[in-house]
Amino acid sequence: MIDIPEELAASQENFNKEAGRAFIAALPDLAAAFLDRWDLRITGAPRHGVSALVLPVDRADGTPAVLKLQLRDEETAGEPVALRLWDGDGAVRLLDHDEPTGTLLLERLDASRVLAHQPDVHEAVLVIARLLARLNTTPAPEGMRRLGDIAPSLLERASSARNRVPDPAARRIVADCAAAVREVADEPGDRLLHWDLHYENVLAADRAPWLAIDPKPLAGDPGFELWPALINRFDADDVGWRFDAMTDVLGLDRERARAWTYGRLLQNCVWTVEDGRPLTDRHLEIARRLRGRTT
């Protein structure tokens, strides 16, 4: 029997409602089934993020690994595909997976050494940029969810959401972001993107200084990858430096990268408005700080 963290149960209730409750209820049996199927032995306390339960395990031959149990959805369905294509180059290595449930067996990294604990934020930003420079070289496979499909729907929803923003200045920012996305929407890109590479999703390992975990992959432009490193460990005065440093390392056109970064801002604004919440000040501040950064 495994203990289900209350925080994981609460987040599944909040984000996935009935499906989340069913997932939590099924977790003990699901874990037992895969421990038996893959001949695994639990070797430590469970860990969790917002959506997954991670169990440290040993394989039958003594190899350390982690069993990742998660609710299979649009975002997680592509994870094993991306990890198999990256094959450990810049990302955690996939050892096995079960397609119907989305259950993964992954190499074990050092969960005690997380990039979020790196005191030098500039060095942490550069670590993320260097990882993205490796991950984004891979072409996205057929069948991967695509930024080219997301962008038109996002622009349509943004038009409605903008009218529900009471503050004129904030409404103007939403409109400007939508205009920038329209300029690049016909060239959405075809690289394999991680989409969620923030500082908590980078762990140390014996075989590499840092490796990415927990991709929510899609096919698109690498400029769509920069947002997590800007909004996490937020510092308004550092936004410009981070944007310039990442675009330099990745070799991106800054005007195009800014437009797709505005696309991530727009995505967050739409979700926020549709949830009935006010727009986040730091999100809007990033838009202000990126104005003019195209050289």
Side-chain angles (χ1 to χ4, degrees):
M1 181 63 69
I2 60 170
D3 293 324
I4 307 300
E6 292 182 4
E7 297 89 345
L8 177 61
S11 67
Q12 283 291 336
E13 169 75 28
N14 182 44
F15 291 111
N16 297 311
K17 305 299 187 287
E18 184 176 344
R21 291 192 292 272
F23 169 69
I24 292 298
L27 260 182
D29 288 342
L30 187 67
F34 280 99
L35 289 168
D36 180 65
R37 174 173 164 180
W38 287 334
D39 198 6
L40 307 172
R41 179 176 62 87
I42 295 177
T43 57
R47 295 183 290 106
H48 67 92
V50 173
S51 59
L53 182 70
V54 177
L55 301 175
V57 296
D58 280 351
R59 305 181 82 177
D61 63 2
T63 303
V66 294
L67 180 65
K68 183 177 182 181
L69 304 155
Q70 60 189 352
L71 184 64
R72 191 178 187 279
D73 58 19
E74 179 185 51
E75 291 187 351
T76 62
E79 182 175 1
V81 178
L83 292 178
R84 184 160 283 129
L85 285 171
W86 287 325
D87 193 25
D89 184 12
V92 65
R93 184 168 279 124
L94 178 69
L95 304 177
D96 208 339
H97 92 281
D98 178 68
E99 182 71 22
T101 64
T103 302
L104 307 177
L105 186 66
L106 304 166
E107 73 172 312
R108 193 189 306 174
L109 306 184
D110 189 345
S112 68
R113 292 188 290 156
V114 185
L115 188 59
H117 301 157
Q118 163 63 252
D120 185 341
V121 176
H122 284 187
E123 178 56 32
V125 170
L126 292 173
V127 167
I128 285 181
R130 292 171 191 138
L131 287 174
L132 290 175
R134 294 162 67 183
L135 300 176
N136 294 164
T137 60
T138 303
E142 291 296 325
M144 185 66 66
R145 64 185 185 129
R146 311 190 78 81
L147 182 54
D149 298 326
I150 293 171
S153 172
L154 175 61
L155 288 169
E156 186 175 318
R157 291 163 65 192
S159 180
S160 173
R162 182 188 63 220
N163 296 329
R164 294 162 59 186
V165 177
D167 177 65
R171 195 162 57 244
R172 181 73 257 168
I173 288 174
V174 174
D176 288 347
C177 289
V181 173
R182 287 190 192 96
E183 290 293 318
V184 296
D186 61 342
E187 296 183 63
D190 65 353
R191 300 293 90 185
L192 182 57
L193 308 184
H194 183 289
W195 188 81
D196 195 29
L197 197 57
H198 55 76
Y199 309 100
E200 296 283 351
N201 274 349
V202 180
L203 302 182
D206 291 336
R207 68 176 179 87
W210 299 105
L211 292 169
I213 63 169
D214 286 349
K216 306 292 185 288
L218 74 158
D221 190 293
F224 206 59
E225 293 272 51
L226 309 184
W227 176 262
L230 299 176
I231 193 64
N232 290 279
R233 301 180 72 169
F234 178 70
D235 180 344
D237 293 334
D238 207 36
V239 168
W241 185 92
R242 296 186 195 187
F243 179 80
D244 290 351
M246 287 191 290
T247 51
D248 282 347
V249 171
L250 286 157
L252 302 181
D253 175 83
R254 282 194 181 145
E255 185 170 1
R256 186 175 183 80
R258 185 182 65 162
W260 282 121
T261 301
Y262 280 166
R264 290 294 293 272
L265 170 59
L266 191 66
Q267 195 174 50
N268 280 278
C269 287
V270 166
W271 291 336
T272 299
V273 171
E274 290 178 347
D275 284 346
R277 296 178 284 117
L279 297 185
T280 306
D281 288 343
R282 62 180 182 169
H283 290 187
L284 301 175
E285 185 61 23
I286 287 176
R288 298 184 189 102
R289 297 283 176 149
L290 291 184
R291 284 174 181 160
R293 303 199 83 83
T294 58
T295 58

